[in-house]
Amino acid sequence: MPRSDKRRICFPITNRAYYGRSQLLIRKLHGHPSLELELMLGGSILLDKYSRHIADDIEAGGFTISASLFNVIEGGNHVAMAKTACLTALEFTNGLAAIDPDVVVISGDRFEQLAIAMAAAYLNKTIAHIEGGDVSGSIDESVRHAITKLAHIHFVTNDDAQRRVLAMGEDPRYVFNTGSLDVELAARVDTALTNERVNGYGVGHDVDVTRPFIMVVQHPVTTEVDNRKHLETTLNAVAALGVQTIWFWPNPDAGTGEMAESIRHFREHHEKAADMMRFITNAPADEFVAMLKATSCLVGNSSAGIKEASYLGTPVVNVGGRQHGRLCAEHVEHVGYDAQAIRAAVDRQIRHGRYAASQLYYRPDTSQQITDRLAGLELYTQKRFFEAAALSDLSGAVVGPTRN
Amino acid sequence: MPRSDKRRICFPITNRAYYGRSQLLIRKLHGHPSLELELMLGGSILLDKYSRHIADDIEAGGFTISASLFNVIEGGNHVAMAKTACLTALEFTNGLAAIDPDVVVISGDRFEQLAIAMAAAYLNKTIAHIEGGDVSGSIDESVRHAITKLAHIHFVTNDDAQRRVLAMGEDPRYVFNTGSLDVELAARVDTALTNERVNGYGVGHDVDVTRPFIMVVQHPVTTEVDNRKHLETTLNAVAALGVQTIWFWPNPDAGTGEMAESIRHFREHHEKAADMMRFITNAPADEFVAMLKATSCLVGNSSAGIKEASYLGTPVVNVGGRQHGRLCAEHVEHVGYDAQAIRAAVDRQIRHGRYAASQLYYRPDTSQQITDRLAGLELYTQKRFFEAAALSDLSGAVVGPTRN
Amino acid sequence: MPRSDKRRICFPITNRAYYGRSQLLIRKLHGHPSLELELMLGGSILLDKYSRHIADDIEAGGFTISASLFNVIEGGNHVAMAKTACLTALEFTNGLAAIDPDVVVISGDRFEQLAIAMAAAYLNKTIAHIEGGDVSGSIDESVRHAITKLAHIHFVTNDDAQRRVLAMGEDPRYVFNTGSLDVELAARVDTALTNERVNGYGVGHDVDVTRPFIMVVQHPVTTEVDNRKHLETTLNAVAALGVQTIWFWPNPDAGTGEMAESIRHFREHHEKAADMMRFITNAPADEFVAMLKATSCLVGNSSAGIKEASYLGTPVVNVGGRQHGRLCAEHVEHVGYDAQAIRAAVDRQIRHGRYAASQLYYRPDTSQQITDRLAGLELYTQKRFFEAAALSDLSGAVVGPTRN
Amino acid sequence: MPRSDKRRICFPITNRAYYGRSQLLIRKLHGHPSLELELMLGGSILLDKYSRHIADDIEAGGFTISASLFNVIEGGNHVAMAKTACLTALEFTNGLAAIDPDVVVISGDRFEQLAIAMAAAYLNKTIAHIEGGDVSGSIDESVRHAITKLAHIHFVTNDDAQRRVLAMGEDPRYVFNTGSLDVELAARVDTALTNERVNGYGVGHDVDVTRPFIMVVQHPVTTEVDNRKHLETTLNAVAALGVQTIWFWPNPDAGTGEMAESIRHFREHHEKAADMMRFITNAPADEFVAMLKATSCLVGNSSAGIKEASYLGTPVVNVGGRQHGRLCAEHVEHVGYDAQAIRAAVDRQIRHGRYAASQLYYRPDTSQQITDRLAGLELYTQKRFFEAAALSDLSGAVVGPTRN
């Protein structure tokens, strides 16, 4: 690719949720006068109908898609997930080598992002990681920290995460708490929720969003074997509640297949309970936020329950170990895989109603902060381990070194 | 694969150096009554003539090779290296899925080992990592710590490494300083060095090992672009010394191609200087140790200069940034890529003669300690981050939890 | 793999239909005293619920599954199909290298079978191809003949096919018309059709098989772009007939995604028509044959309409170009993608009723004939082109050279 | 890629020999007003020093290289060769999907070209094949015809080949005998041979090209197991001749490793004989032709001995089965792997001296003819089998249908 004198930023997007939360950032990166943005698409974002709208959306936004790589291996099990990661890395290596970016932006903790980070590291690229330092359950916990140890610039979303990234030996001049992009988006969205729009997504019974409804988002936990049973537990709990429900389909990860089967089975065999449920595969990020603002309670194990909901004050019942140990505001009640406990917790949260907004994951201008640093920081590739003892010497440094 | 009630340990070996240093461990794992050892071969170990001897050796030892996977992509550049890693991960995924081990042992910090660790993590296997926590230059620095963050059991080689692995949030009940396998091997080898054997390896001029000779091992540094120039600097420095030299060919990594070309070019154009040099691609681990014991000075950037040489008291001139920051005994003199400085340092080290043995990287019975823990520890897969504050609670624990 | 003195036959199975038709052959190969059978599974056969039964079935039969390789890339488009083939070839290379068979059996003309044949050819294996020489539309037409030119032993199903394989330059001593395995199976099946069993498969309305019903099997044609529209044409035609219908879900090929979407859309928006339809993803081969024996007419583009139906005398309406040019008995009426024409043709066929059995694709003991030749023929790997002129010299030869 | 209304031609080049022979064609395709040429590089052409000159050359010529894909897997054995083909196909799939060409040009019969043809076929592209229909030994024999059965347009080099391509069922309106590109190039080259230039390539002893010298090009035969022994036979025969020799290094195929080892071993242990030999890895196509014009005899199994040499009248001793059955002019003497026989045949050929030029493989303006047809023919993708009987109907057609 012919080079201008702009710094070239490559942003691989492999998942619709990542695209949703990154919209503000992508627009800022694209608009910055000294940056050149290259989007690469791969993974599940290329696979569904809604994602085709994403691609249109992206191109309508004037962004360049440098590569579209189909690399999801079917199977819905660990082997398929591992091989998807490997194939993703293989193909992104070619893509990254062709683009030859100055910085590769790795977002979050999905399994394929580590694979891309590995490829980028081996190509000797500077890696910027968004959302490192958090703790959680699932394989995400391993993935997130492994990416941190491959990355050179860190944009974390909260103080605890910053402390952990520093403890892991990262250069303190390159670790920034810029708050959460999801929360920034949640804070800015003012989409009005309408029955017409909500019932335009997914299948199942119509939901009347002017009346109380709950939302469920329960993803498989790749390090657990009983994903199907765990989902059924939630299904039974929710069915027993007798409340209108918007149920978001799980992510396409290991364990998805059997979870999707459970939902289908449930729909066929519990028609009455299913009659109060709408099942949605995707909705645009702003619509999702609008639902989150309106719902009586979010149930499941989505990070949206921890982050966006904290700022929006939405009551949350967090089920099982996926978000284990993550920094939480008071709006979350944690329960195990126990239908009775889930039902009781949801009841309590519905009765409690909305919480005060928390600033735990919020900083103003997150996307602008990240963009400015990607444009201005001096880049490096050879990492070294910064030990706590050495850190005191650097305590005066508040921003990283900037390029001339 | 049909399962016995033994714990199944899978040991991927991708590099002859790793095989060399792991011989004692492999034998111990193979012999342990409650363990079942499966070796998997891939990467460069399958590629050269000497490696075929390794495969014979392995089978002669009664070990099972579960898979032999050709996955080195030619090119000798970053793209080839990255793609080799991806292909390795892809193929080891199939292999690991077929073997279905309880534990996957990842050794060291080579780029393909991170790829295998990633595959193993996604297959939800328990990962044991040997030699984590060290610091160095090169991409190895990133690879090593990223593996740590995917691994569940850590066998480090020195106290500093242990401190760093704990700082990175690993479970202190699963972090063990068992010393270095290389050093254990070095301590046990009593192979006699003979001219006949030494001159049976490689090409070039015969070396008389009853007289003073130096050794050179200089690998490419993947995060540096001037590998060829750096090698030529060392070639010139060594040529100017006028001492007999055993030169070990660099590892097959990104940057190797141009380094090998330099050596060939040097041999053709500096016949006189080359007349004092023998170029060896491989030698068995015990022969290498025997040479290390006998050499007047080891020059280059091999980890053997830091580790084995510390115990053996061999003078070392460490060139450039590859071992940057690694814990070192007093036998090492560090110099930059400067022919004059290298030559002067080697002169000083030859004059100094051997050093006292250091225990920095030595613990007795390293391989037995590792084996016993792999057999006895309770295994887990879901990682969580242990923060320093939390560590004080665990200070009494000196060994990990054992299985019933 | 340790070797006995038996000839080792590797049979890759990538598709449930192939498994169905190959059951007799697999049993014969497994039971032959001088053969050793290794099954390898990959592709779509590993993906669905029914396929898991196949794996159980296989293992219950005492057969060895040497490898199970997940290699279907999601996307349902040409890119995904091409990459699936490549990944299949890559993984089967490792599997074949490990098994080291004397003969690899390639069945039919599915896209991934050419990929496996290529891998086997490059590993210098003798390749036996079943069902070469036919002509049809779709990419299958290219795939089938390309496999022929990689294969060494040919088991064709009819005289026309034999003539074409010879015209393409194959060694006449290794080209055998053994008839069709599908037809052999169809001839032997005596499974009784019951409502209970039929309605145990798939979803949708129950079918009463004691009353007239039609069957539809319409696969995507990978060289056509309007698969969705073509399917909708058939859906509309069938809906207008007002006859009970058993509709088999299309194969997972390029174009499947949009076809499946059409069917789902149809089911939701034409409830009344859909009320006469049952949609089945898979049924065991013997049940499929039982339905074929009982149905009033088979509609679509399945090869079963050309082959099994010819022997069973089932009326067939063959739609579009997928079977273009294939040798046909008189039971088939060919129509284009035209709802009116399809409807009229089905009407005519229903009125006509069953046809006399044709022997076009039938030879007795197909599976035994193939097995005996795989056991007895002298094997070779270096191919040469036999020109028609040279063929007259060989006219006396009726069987291939046998091994001592 | 944004599209003009030009027809887009994609030309994958994977081998330096193919680049050499295709230079005239590439220039013509590039210059044609209604064509748009996209070159894709992969395989061995990216690997050696000389190839880097090729890339420079290509870019200097103003041609676009759409992708450079490192996909050669080390090993030099069948497994590595098969996997290289699979990886090549995988990566070219992405490249072809991004370029979205109207026609993919597949040249010759190397193993990776079939893999690319398969990918192109599955992407539903029109494939033009150059040099189909020939017969030879080695895996090339299978590869060549399998490509024919995937291709839509055929440019063959001689009448026999045309007859065979038609026999295989190809559409006679799309089969053209345009002669050999190699021979066209040989006919046009007037590079003067100088000692300076010749001895600027490769290593070993200087050759005096003003005096008699022989050339050797002996590639591994992938379907044979004794490549090493066969090469040593030729080495011994040539050594015994006592004539100056230019020896071209074998292609990087399965079997190369051991052949290269033989040559190295020979050079070290037969210094005297080796003193008359120069070993060259690559030379530009025009220099190669200049040597071919001047040499007393070409020995080995290169197709240049059959084709270019026929037009140039160079005496050839063809060794072994690699060119088995290929159409030959009278300048070739065929011998087996027998040192005595090789030596005697070379002696006879040297004594015979040059032959009269043959037109077997020659047509004027080969590259222009191919270019014009690629620009003017109506394209199609759905293949069908043309049987000999049907051919008589088409006998009037001498050129294919042209587009409006």
Side-chain angles (χ1 to χ4, degrees), chain C residues 193-204:
Chain C
L193 199 64
T194 67
N195 282 340
E196 196 187 356
R197 282 236 285 282
V198 168
N199 296 312
Y201 304 113
V203 296

Side-chain angles (χ1 to χ4, degrees), chain D residues 180-198:
Chain D
S180 160
L181 285 168
D182 308 74
V183 176
E184 185 192 22
L185 189 71
R188 297 194 179 202
V189 162
D190 59 355
T191 304
L193 201 64
T194 68
N195 282 340
E196 197 187 355
R197 282 236 284 283
V198 168

Side-chain angles (χ1 to χ4, degrees), chain B residues 47 70 72-75 77 83 87 91, chain D residues 47 70 72-75 77 83 87 91:
Chain B
L47 292 180
F70 286 85
V72 176
I73 292 173
E74 279 196 74
N77 54 23
K83 285 162 75 170
L87 189 57
E91 302 200 328
Chain D
L47 291 180
F70 286 86
V72 176
I73 292 174
E74 280 196 74
N77 54 24
K83 286 162 74 169
L87 189 57
E91 301 201 329

Side-chain angles (χ1 to χ4, degrees), chain A residues 47 49 52 68-75 77 79-80 83 87 91 203 252 261 268, chain C residues 47 49 52 68-75 77 79-80 83 87 91 203 252 261 268:
Chain A
L47 292 179
K49 196 181 164 183
R52 271 177 258 149
S68 290
L69 301 163
F70 286 84
N71 40 35
V72 176
I73 292 173
E74 279 196 74
N77 54 24
V79 174
K83 286 162 75 169
L87 189 57
E91 302 200 328
V203 296
E261 214 170 282
E268 296 204 6
Chain C
L47 292 181
K49 195 179 161 185
R52 270 176 259 150
S68 289
L69 300 163
F70 286 86
N71 40 35
V72 176
I73 292 174
E74 280 197 73
N77 55 21
V79 174
K83 287 162 74 171
L87 189 58
E91 302 201 328
V203 296
E261 213 171 282
E268 295 205 6

Side-chain angles (χ1 to χ4, degrees), chain B residues 97-177:
Chain B
I99 294 172
D100 191 22
D102 298 296
V103 182
V104 179
V105 180
I106 300 294
S107 178
D109 48 27
R110 275 180 58 85
F111 68 97
E112 73 273 16
Q113 294 283 325
L114 171 58
I116 300 171
M118 184 182 76
Y122 292 177
L123 293 172
N124 208 18
K125 300 299 172 198
T126 299
I127 298 170
H129 185 211
I130 298 176
E131 296 205 3
D134 283 352
V135 295
S136 71
S138 181
I139 188 69
D140 305 356
E141 170 70 9
S142 298
V143 166
R144 189 184 313 110
H145 303 315
I147 295 174
T148 292
K149 293 308 302 174
L150 297 175
H152 304 82
I153 309 174
H154 307 271
F155 299 110
V156 304
T157 66
N158 59 83
D159 292 336
D160 283 18
Q162 186 166 30
R163 195 184 63 241
R164 281 186 216 101
V165 169
L166 292 174
M168 283 190 276
E170 293 305 295
D171 185 339
R173 297 169 303 169
Y174 287 90
V175 183
F176 308 98
N177 179 1

